[in-house]
Amino acid sequence: MKGVKRILFLNGSTRLRDTLWRRAAFEKAEAYGFQVEFRSSSEGREPDWASELSGFDAAVSSWDSPKVDAALLRYADGLKVLGHAAGSIADVFTEEAYAKGLRVATANPVMAESVAEWSLMATLLAARGLQRYAGFFGASKMRWDARERVRDIRAMTIGVWGFGDISSRFLKMLAPLKPRRVLVCSRHGDPAALKSLGAEPASLEELLAEGDVVHLLAGMTRENFGRIGAKELALMKDGATLVNSGRARLADEKAFVDALVSGRLDAILDVFYKEPMPEDSPLNGLPNVLLTPHNAGMPGRELYVPFILDEFKRFFDGGPMESEISLRRYRTMTVESLAGA
Amino acid sequence: MKGVKRILFLNGSTRLRDTLWRRAAFEKAEAYGFQVEFRSSSEGREPDWASELSGFDAAVSSWDSPKVDAALLRYADGLKVLGHAAGSIADVFTEEAYAKGLRVATANPVMAESVAEWSLMATLLAARGLQRYAGFFGASKMRWDARERVRDIRAMTIGVWGFGDISSRFLKMLAPLKPRRVLVCSRHGDPAALKSLGAEPASLEELLAEGDVVHLLAGMTRENFGRIGAKELALMKDGATLVNSGRARLADEKAFVDALVSGRLDAILDVFYKEPMPEDSPLNGLPNVLLTPHNAGMPGRELYVPFILDEFKRFFDGGPMESEISLRRYRTMTVESLAGA
């Protein structure tokens, strides 16, 4: 890498800047010879990002960054690479940016690690059935008489719909717990790779019918939108647990809510049809449902920018980036506009 | 192994029999050529176990089995091995039984796996701080405004006091989650073995002072009884979480309860000074404490007897048993009489 590289944080929110750019990020930037600059929006007015980009070698985007299209890039004479310090780039990056020769990497692997960890926690909560006997931080009383209602993950089948960044990490974390069977439904899941993770390929119908705990981690393609409907939910065993840290809209809203309100199925959810979830949501307060406020992927946000800076270092040194999104992959990935907020 | 071996279940409880002896156990006994027999207590009267043991090659004990001493063994002419389908053998086995040449194995490794899994779940609950924002199965409301109060295990130090069957399994399950540091205090922890599990040796004082989550998993020796007192608790950081799935009496009761009632420390507990924990325990209903009814090790109880039968098979085939307790180990292990109920 030759000379100092100039990097712009392509986001005017000082709050987000303070969240993402912590000491470790600045230390890394300095060590790599990156000169980082920031522009703030003020009184709701965004900086003129197109002009600002002139002269920068790289940019870091995140939630609510401006769309990176031909108009935004019209003065970006030196810009070679964008790093997205968040999950999916689909809301920010465009085919026009690819056409201009811009390369793009994402901090998604860091977030996927956190969501996988949340999925592991959800699996343990579901497997052991904590709600039946635990005294949960003063909100519920411990029930000694129900202590034998604990269950064993080694007697359970875990179903996973989808095999991507989150699922593959989740399966690695799950393996030491030795569930009886792990069934994975994915067009991308190579059987040998699945086997090395202790899992077997299955159809969506098989894993719904067999799973004691079923994780919805498929990408939000047009085909997967609302794919879990009343018919699919009816395949599930009484008392099985649906876990969703992916996309709410993988399941049909009415069928999903009906199944939970009826109490036939349990659920552990981090994503919702509307976010923030409205107070009067029928999911609120159900005794068979645990809710977290779409923060499964939040732990580790301070690692996003250091990860992106490592990617930039690899790029400017002429090597491949670990999480580059190719145009081909871009075209097959999550369609955020279908996934909602 | 020559001929059919006769095995007696050394426990008169039909309820425990039904819990421990499931189909897989009987299938295994049949496959190995073991003839299993049961005796029931009736109207509170125990069978005359000493007479009953005559003619048996092996026996399986469990919770509340009679003490295996010289008196019990006086007619046990053919008995060569005892398998304890529970945790510690200290309440059942005696030096007199060793003197008679009896060998003993325990299903403790199976239970340790379950307790390690509970410890992993507790670590994730503590690390993420679920009580601050989760809607827990209708018992508490989800708080969207508190969603950023999630924390990251990758920025945390996990302290583990003790390095035995549970800790070693727990560290293996914990490693994929990449905590910032794992500190282990144990006289038995070989630094190389710890390092291979991603952990470092530390003094008890160091891990109390540094730990964001601290696990009490030491054996209950005379020296460890009440070892965590007011002075030790004062070393801990505000808001750190004490996790105990080992023995309540590792901590001094008054100092421990005071620290939790004050709210300065959080706790996740499976073991109690009195069990069942009394309704009026000051720990009941605290907003900073999660309680489970001493069932961390319960999942997998149906695996105890098959594990013991595998041990018997190895023994009768002339090989070593995996979980045999030598007299030397017996003398250094948990003194159950100190550990309470």
Side-chain angles (χ1 to χ4, degrees):
Chain A
M1 195 180 90
K2 274 208 242 162
V4 168
K5 300 296 177 189
R6 289 184 67 206
I7 296 176
L8 182 66
F9 183 48
L10 192 64
N11 196 295
S13 160
T14 50
R15 184 151 165 277
L16 192 60
R17 166 189 166 167
D18 292 343
T19 300
L20 297 179
W21 291 83
R22 311 299 287 263
R23 198 205 306 184
F26 289 109
E27 285 172 357
K28 189 154 265 185
E30 194 178 337
Y32 290 164
F34 295 159
Q35 181 186 311
V36 183
E37 297 184 31
F38 299 89
R39 306 286 184 266
S40 303
S41 41
S42 65
E43 294 169 15
R45 270 186 53 194
E46 284 285 297
D48 176 9
W49 290 114
S51 311
E52 297 292 354
L53 273 171
S54 169
F56 282 93
D57 302 288
V60 176
S61 58
S62 189
W63 295 284
D64 302 320
S65 282
K67 202 170 266 299
V68 180
D69 55 16
L72 188 87
L73 295 171
R74 67 192 183 277
Y75 310 120
D77 37 4
L79 196 71
K80 292 183 184 58
V81 62
L82 182 87
H84 190 55
S88 166
I89 64 165
D91 259 3
V92 168
F93 216 66
T94 63
E95 298 227 5
E96 292 173 3
Y98 281 110
K100 288 247 177 193
L102 199 62
R103 308 266 295 273
V104 62
T106 157
N108 199 52
V110 181
M111 183 190 280
E113 191 87 16
S114 281
V115 179
E117 179 195 291
W118 181 96
S119 303
L120 181 74
M121 178 181 68
T123 306
L124 285 169
L125 288 167
R128 290 188 166 247
L130 235 68
Q131 71 273 27
R132 290 193 280 276
Y133 51 78
F136 186 80
F137 296 107
S140 61
K141 286 256 173 187
M142 175 164 71
R143 288 187 52 194
W144 203 276
D145 62 314
R147 67 195 287 252
E148 308 225 353
R149 296 184 63 198
V150 68
R151 296 180 307 179
D152 185 14
I153 195 172
R154 286 166 293 189
M156 292 184 149
T157 297
I158 313 298
V160 181
W161 180 29
F163 188 65
D165 278 347
I166 298 169
S167 311
S168 57
R169 285 169 174 80
F170 168 55
L171 292 181
K172 254 180 230 166
M173 295 173 185
L174 186 62
L177 308 183
K178 302 178 186 136
R180 194 171 72 86
R181 292 177 76 192
V182 180
L183 304 179
V184 176
C185 166
S186 166
R187 283 179 307 180
H188 316 294
D190 167 37
L194 289 181
K195 201 177 166 193
S196 75
L197 291 165
E200 316 159 41
S203 70
L204 182 56
E205 283 67 23
E206 279 168 342
L207 75 83
L208 289 168
E210 300 288 328
D212 297 292
V213 183
V214 172
H215 292 263
L216 308 185
L217 288 168
M220 179 54 78
T221 60
R222 279 169 209 288
E223 168 182 28
N224 289 344
F225 183 85
R227 172 82 171 79
I228 307 286
K231 205 179 72 184
E232 287 70 25
L233 292 167
L235 295 172
M236 292 183 69
K237 299 192 263 193
D238 286 353
T241 305
L242 272 164
V243 181
N244 199 343
S245 59
R247 304 287 178 190
R249 287 155 203 243
L250 292 167
D252 173 73
E253 181 166 6
K254 183 174 179 331
F256 184 75
V257 169
D258 284 353
L260 301 189
V261 168
S262 80
R264 196 180 81 76
L265 299 174
D266 294 348
I268 300 183
L269 307 172
D270 188 55
V271 291
F272 304 92
Y273 295 95
K274 256 194 199 159
E275 295 192 355
M277 191 188 85
E279 268 289 314
D280 64 353
S281 160
L283 298 179
N284 215 352
L286 290 180
N288 51 324
V289 178
L290 188 155
L291 310 171
T292 57
H294 203 157
N295 63 3
M298 271 195 189
R301 281 174 302 173
E302 73 284 0
L303 304 173
Y304 292 173
V305 170
F307 179 86
I308 290 297
L309 297 180
D310 284 338
E311 290 286 70
F312 287 170
K313 177 78 164 70
R314 286 185 273 269
F315 175 80
F316 289 118
D317 283 343
M321 294 190 288
E322 280 181 16
S323 69
E324 177 160 4
I325 306 291
S326 66
L327 176 57
R328 187 164 163 273
R329 172 128 186 257
Y330 177 82
R331 285 180 173 156
T332 62
M333 62 191 277
T334 297
V335 181
E336 290 284 330
S337 56
L338 291 175
Chain B
M1 196 179 87
K2 275 208 241 162
V4 168
K5 299 295 177 189
R6 289 184 66 205
I7 295 175
L8 181 66
F9 183 48
L10 190 64
N11 196 297
S13 159
T14 50
R15 184 150 166 277
L16 192 60
R17 168 190 164 164
D18 292 344
T19 300
L20 296 179
W21 290 84
R22 311 300 287 263
R23 199 206 304 186
F26 289 110
E27 286 173 356
K28 188 153 265 185
E30 195 179 336
Y32 289 164
F34 294 158
Q35 182 187 310
V36 183
E37 297 184 32
F38 299 88
R39 305 287 183 267
S40 302
S41 41
S42 65
E43 295 170 15
R45 270 186 53 193
E46 284 285 296
D48 176 9
W49 289 114
S51 310
E52 297 292 353
L53 272 171
S54 169
F56 282 92
D57 301 289
V60 176
S61 57
S62 188
W63 295 283
D64 300 321
S65 283
K67 201 168 266 302
V68 181
D69 54 16
L72 189 88
L73 295 172
R74 67 190 183 278
Y75 309 121
D77 37 3
L79 196 71
K80 292 184 184 57
V81 62
L82 181 87
H84 190 55
S88 165
I89 63 165
D91 259 4
V92 168
F93 215 67
T94 63
E95 298 226 4
E96 292 173 3
Y98 280 109
K100 288 246 177 195
L102 198 62
R103 307 265 294 273
V104 61
T106 158
N108 199 52
V110 181
M111 182 190 280
E113 191 87 15
S114 281
V115 179
E117 179 194 292
W118 181 95
S119 303
L120 181 74
M121 177 180 69
T123 306
L124 286 169
L125 288 166
R128 290 188 166 247
L130 235 68
Q131 71 273 27
R132 290 192 280 275
Y133 50 78
F136 186 80
F137 296 107
S140 61
K141 288 255 173 186
M142 175 164 69
R143 287 188 52 192
W144 203 277
D145 62 314
R147 67 195 286 251
E148 308 224 352
R149 295 184 64 197
V150 69
R151 295 180 307 178
D152 183 16
I153 195 172
R154 287 167 291 189
M156 290 182 152
T157 296
I158 313 297
V160 181
W161 181 29
F163 188 64
D165 279 347
I166 298 169
S167 311
S168 58
R169 287 169 172 81
F170 167 56
L171 292 181
K172 255 181 228 165
M173 296 174 183
L174 185 63
L177 308 182
K178 301 177 188 139
R180 195 171 72 86
R181 292 178 78 192
V182 180
L183 303 179
V184 176
C185 166
S186 165
R187 281 178 309 178
H188 316 295
D190 167 37
L194 289 181
K195 200 179 167 190
S196 76
L197 291 164
E200 316 158 43
S203 70
L204 182 56
E205 283 67 24
E206 278 168 345
L207 75 83
L208 288 168
E210 299 289 326
D212 297 292
V213 183
V214 172
H215 293 263
L216 307 186
L217 288 169
M220 179 53 79
T221 59
R222 279 172 208 285
E223 168 182 26
N224 289 344
F225 183 83
R227 173 81 170 79
I228 307 286
K231 204 180 73 183
E232 287 71 23
L233 293 166
L235 295 172
M236 293 182 69
K237 299 191 263 193
D238 285 354
T241 305
L242 271 164
V243 181
N244 199 344
S245 60
R247 305 286 176 189
R249 288 154 201 245
L250 292 167
D252 173 74
E253 182 166 6
K254 182 172 180 333
F256 184 74
V257 169
D258 284 353
L260 301 188
V261 169
S262 80
R264 195 179 83 76
L265 299 174
D266 294 350
I268 300 183
L269 306 173
D270 187 55
V271 291
F272 305 93
Y273 295 94
K274 256 193 200 162
E275 296 192 353
M277 189 189 84
E279 267 288 314
D280 64 354
S281 161
L283 298 179
N284 215 353
L286 290 180
N288 52 324
V289 178
L290 189 155
L291 309 171
T292 57
H294 204 158
N295 63 4
M298 271 194 188
R301 281 174 303 173
E302 72 285 359
L303 303 172
Y304 292 174
V305 170
F307 179 87
I308 290 297
L309 297 179
D310 284 339
E311 290 286 71
F312 287 171
K313 177 77 164 69
R314 285 185 273 268
F315 175 80
F316 289 119
D317 283 343
M321 294 190 287
E322 280 181 16
S323 68
E324 177 162 2
I325 307 291
S326 67
L327 175 57
R328 188 166 161 272
R329 173 129 183 256
Y330 177 81
R331 286 181 171 154
T332 62
M333 62 190 280
T334 295
V335 180
E336 289 286 330
S337 56
L338 291 177

